[in-house]
Amino acid sequence: MAILLTPGPCPVPSFVAEAIAMPVMPHRTAGFEAFFGEMKEGLRYLFQTEAHVCGMMGSGTMGVEAAMYSLFKEGDAVLVPDFGKFSRRWVDYGKLMGLNLSTLTKKWGEEPSVVEFLEKAQNIPDLKGVVLTHCETSTGVAIDLEEMAFVLRRALPEVLLLVDAVSSVGAIPFYFDAWDLDCAVVASQKALMNPAGTVYVAFSERGRRAVRQTHPSDGRNLWNYLDFADRNSFPYTPPVQLFYGIMAALGHIRGAGLPAVWNRTHSSAKTFREMLLKAGGVIFGTGTGESLTAFSIPGTEAGDLRAQLKEKGFLLSGGQGELKGKILRVSHMGPVCGVEAMIRLRAAIHT
Amino acid sequence: MAILLTPGPCPVPSFVAEAIAMPVMPHRTAGFEAFFGEMKEGLRYLFQTEAHVCGMMGSGTMGVEAAMYSLFKEGDAVLVPDFGKFSRRWVDYGKLMGLNLSTLTKKWGEEPSVVEFLEKAQNIPDLKGVVLTHCETSTGVAIDLEEMAFVLRRALPEVLLLVDAVSSVGAIPFYFDAWDLDCAVVASQKALMNPAGTVYVAFSERGRRAVRQTHPSDGRNLWNYLDFADRNSFPYTPPVQLFYGIMAALGHIRGAGLPAVWNRTHSSAKTFREMLLKAGGVIFGTGTGESLTAFSIPGTEAGDLRAQLKEKGFLLSGGQGELKGKILRVSHMGPVCGVEAMIRLRAAIHT
């Protein structure tokens, strides 16, 4: 069996698979409410927040779009830095929503600097919100979220700060409350090492106040999920077994402690990158993110290298969009993609 | 461990749980496409259709709403019979969408007759579509879908026929093509005996032509799911492991054959109802559906009976909405809720 080292979907450890196989519990019961309450506590630890958390069914993309849909409305001035496939998706969705959109476009492989971000934000009249992609899974780069949030909050305290944390929360340092964020979205199939199918969202008090209330049948609007979560409940039939899997992952993360989990990502990235550079490989772009590494090996076509590694038992991702055929991407998220896997991968690349 | 006899979520058999625990497969691969193609074949068998099938993440409610959203638009004349909690939900959603809505309201526990349905439909100018709930999970009654579809199609051949088949497909006889339906929605956690989290939708050629094309980011619109399904792909990160579980259920259903599966539901319902009547119990309403039985036992408060049965190891559902505290509901869907479970339940009710 090949090792899955793609930056999402990530491999599901056996303790998660076993949790998902537990018998389903009826969801309009005190037992479910107690369970949901515990899950919220686990999610608060994960996001490092004392504020609001909820879950919904869907992919990471659906989660970020739901957050944008819930916080903003047609005509709102919103800034979306665009530096890869996923951040560009939020630009496209903002256009679809009819937002008064400003972008800050960087070449793929680069990320916006704190200074240019602040300058841009300060020059937008009546700026309502910002959508920041913490880690661009398409290029491997990460923004300096802590600094960006800090300068934005000082200059424009009321601007809503929405973070695509799909491949950062649970993988690299993330402090929702300390960084004074308003909304952050993470997906189940990345550092939470679960099957795809659910997303989890944190809201500050300010963020939650900004969420538009709509009809209960508006499944994209997070108001309903937050409202039910207050009562430890869920607006639709909840995916109970998927929540079991998330609880198992949260238990694992809490048991190890976030600093140890973040350090595992760091060690995996460091090990791989040192090995890569020694083998004459090149890290794509600025390489500021540690959730994954995008790379190439000069003289070897990316598709060929991917096929060779697959034959040796390692599944990596190729490039997306304009990077198709130009790079490979390897995940450093979760226990399966740790240092040990990187050491094994090294042997495969060297030979 | 108590036996879960609630009409959704239904118990997950071990062969489904084991399938979900299989290692994830990357989804932008030929392997995933082949797998998705097989899943479509299984879904076609399940719905008894040669036409279009797709899946999406969400609950049954989200699936039916997505189908309504995809097929109809503001101002469209749509008829929605209202005879329980779920069919009323489609009325509410139709209002939210701004449809030109007509309803045919029945007391909970009754279902619209074929004649009154046809009369109503024929008196609506420019009728665009009909939303029929095949089995009302809140009351246990089922409509005569085959006859209703037949008379509607003869009288108004172009009207779109959308069916909430959430608790009917895979449980009771259902022939999408032979009945000339346009759209039907089933959820994973009912007769498909899987965790909640995914829904599956069939479309006729006529139905598919009616689906409005929108932006890829419009996650409620089934156009995208159908478009990707044509290429054996999925518009978002697919819930691969949940699809594994569905494949296992479809394999089970195909192996047994739908007639045998439908007969299992029938035998379970028949066994339970004979026993119930002998014990002095009362079937709620017309009892036309076999996916579940809604019932009460005169002289015993429904909540007390539910608590007694729970103590004896049987989890049943109570009533919903206006039926809260008045009835219990027991499922006849899936292998765990078969005749054997009903025989065991009989002993618990008798003593």
Side-chain angles (χ1 to χ4, degrees), chain A:
Chain A
M1 178 67 67
I3 308 186
L4 190 65
L5 298 177
T6 57
C10 292
V12 174
S14 58
F15 61 87
V16 170
E18 283 159 18
I20 292 171
M22 290 195 302
V24 62
M25 143 171 69
H27 55 276
R28 303 286 174 223
T29 57
F32 178 77
E33 286 167 17
F35 167 81
F36 198 92
E38 275 181 53
M39 190 174 76
K40 285 196 316 194
E41 278 314 301
L43 289 169
R44 287 198 179 102
Y45 176 73
L46 177 74
F47 281 105
Q48 290 290 291
T49 182
E50 297 296 322
H52 308 282
V53 288
C54 66
M56 67 176 276
M57 289 175 269
S59 67
T61 297
M62 294 169 85
V64 176
E65 289 176 356
M68 290 176 69
Y69 174 79
S70 303
L71 287 171
F72 307 129
K73 62 177 192 308
E74 200 177 331
D76 280 350
V78 175
L79 169 61
V80 188
D82 166 8
F83 56 108
K85 189 189 169 206
F86 291 94
S87 47
R88 185 162 298 168
R89 198 171 271 181
W90 318 141
V91 171
D92 290 342
Y93 187 66
K95 285 181 189 161
L96 180 73
M97 282 182 69
L99 301 182
N100 177 9
L101 210 68
S102 300
T103 59
L104 170 56
T105 307
K106 304 298 290 184
K107 232 177 91 183
W108 286 26
E110 296 176 6
E111 72 278 0
S113 75
V114 175
V115 170
E116 63 188 346
F117 166 69
L118 181 63
E119 274 177 4
K120 184 86 188 180
Q122 282 181 311
N123 283 318
I124 299 169
D126 299 318
L127 183 65
K128 170 86 177 281
V130 166
V131 182
L132 289 177
T133 300
H134 190 185
C135 174
E136 241 307 340
T137 317
S138 65
T139 66
V141 309
I143 58 170
D144 188 345
L145 179 60
E146 180 175 6
E147 280 299 312
M148 282 178 166
F150 181 76
V151 298
L152 184 79
R153 200 52 83 208
R154 281 183 65 143
L156 301 161
E158 290 309 312
V159 165
L160 294 168
L161 188 40
L162 193 170
V163 177
D164 163 1
V166 168
S167 62
S168 71
V169 157
I172 59 177
F174 192 95
Y175 295 94
F176 188 87
D177 285 356
W179 295 351
D180 206 0
L181 311 178
D182 291 314
C183 179
V185 180
V186 70
S188 56
Q189 78 276 15
K190 305 276 184 178
L192 284 174
M193 48 195 138
N194 261 264
T198 55
V199 278
Y200 301 89
V201 192
F203 278 96
S204 69
E205 291 299 339
R206 181 175 44 229
R208 180 158 186 181
R209 275 197 307 273
V211 173
R212 289 181 299 117
Q213 179 175 355
T214 58
H215 190 277
S217 281
D218 186 356
R220 276 188 302 177
N221 194 303
L222 293 167
W223 193 90
N224 295 313
Y225 297 95
L226 285 164
D227 183 49
F228 275 77
D230 283 345
R231 289 167 272 137
N232 289 328
S233 184
F234 196 77
Y236 302 96
T237 300
V240 177
Q241 290 98 327
L242 305 189
F243 289 164
Y244 288 158
I246 292 298
M247 275 289 268
L250 293 171
H252 169 85
I253 289 170
R254 193 155 203 166
L258 275 171
V261 170
W262 296 333
N263 191 56
R264 187 174 59 202
T265 314
H266 171 71
S267 301
S268 171
K270 189 163 175 280
T271 303
F272 177 77
R273 291 170 187 190
E274 283 176 2
M275 167 277 281
L276 177 75
L277 298 176
K278 274 189 198 156
V282 176
I283 296 169
F284 175 76
T286 60
T288 40
E290 293 198 322
S291 299
L292 68 148
T293 302
F295 69 99
S296 59
I297 297 188
T300 311
E301 208 270 316
D304 292 346
L305 180 59
R306 190 167 172 228
Q308 286 163 25
L309 291 175
K310 191 179 172 186
E311 233 168 73
K312 292 175 184 170
F314 299 91
L315 286 178
L316 277 67
S317 292
Q320 295 174 301
E322 60 188 59
L323 294 174
K324 206 163 183 167
K326 294 188 183 155
I327 56 165
L328 292 191
R329 292 176 302 141
V330 59
S331 168
H332 306 299
M333 296 179 274
V336 181
C337 305
V339 168
E340 198 191 312
M342 294 306 124
I343 290 171
R344 290 177 56 193
L345 179 61
R346 171 168 56 183
I349 288 188
H350 272 240
T351 53

Side-chain angles (χ1 to χ4, degrees), chain B residues 2 9 12 35 49 60 85 92 108 123 126 132 136 140 143 174 225 253 259 290 294 307 316 327:
Chain B
V12 174
F35 167 82
T49 183
K85 189 189 170 208
D92 290 342
W108 286 26
N123 283 319
D126 300 317
L132 289 176
E136 241 308 342
I143 58 171
F174 192 94
Y225 297 96
I253 289 170
E290 292 198 323
L316 277 67
I327 56 166

Side-chain angles (χ1 to χ4, degrees), chain B residues 72 77-79 102 114-132 147-162 179-182 204 206:
Chain B
F72 307 130
V78 176
L79 170 60
S102 300
V114 176
V115 170
E116 62 188 347
F117 167 68
L118 180 64
E119 274 178 2
K120 185 87 189 180
Q122 283 181 311
N123 283 319
I124 299 168
D126 300 317
L127 183 64
K128 169 87 177 282
V130 166
V131 182
L132 289 176
E147 281 299 312
M148 281 178 167
F150 180 76
V151 298
L152 183 77
R153 199 53 83 207
R154 281 183 64 144
L156 301 160
E158 291 308 314
V159 165
L160 294 168
L161 188 39
L162 192 170
W179 295 351
D180 206 1
L181 311 178
D182 291 313
S204 68
R206 183 175 43 232

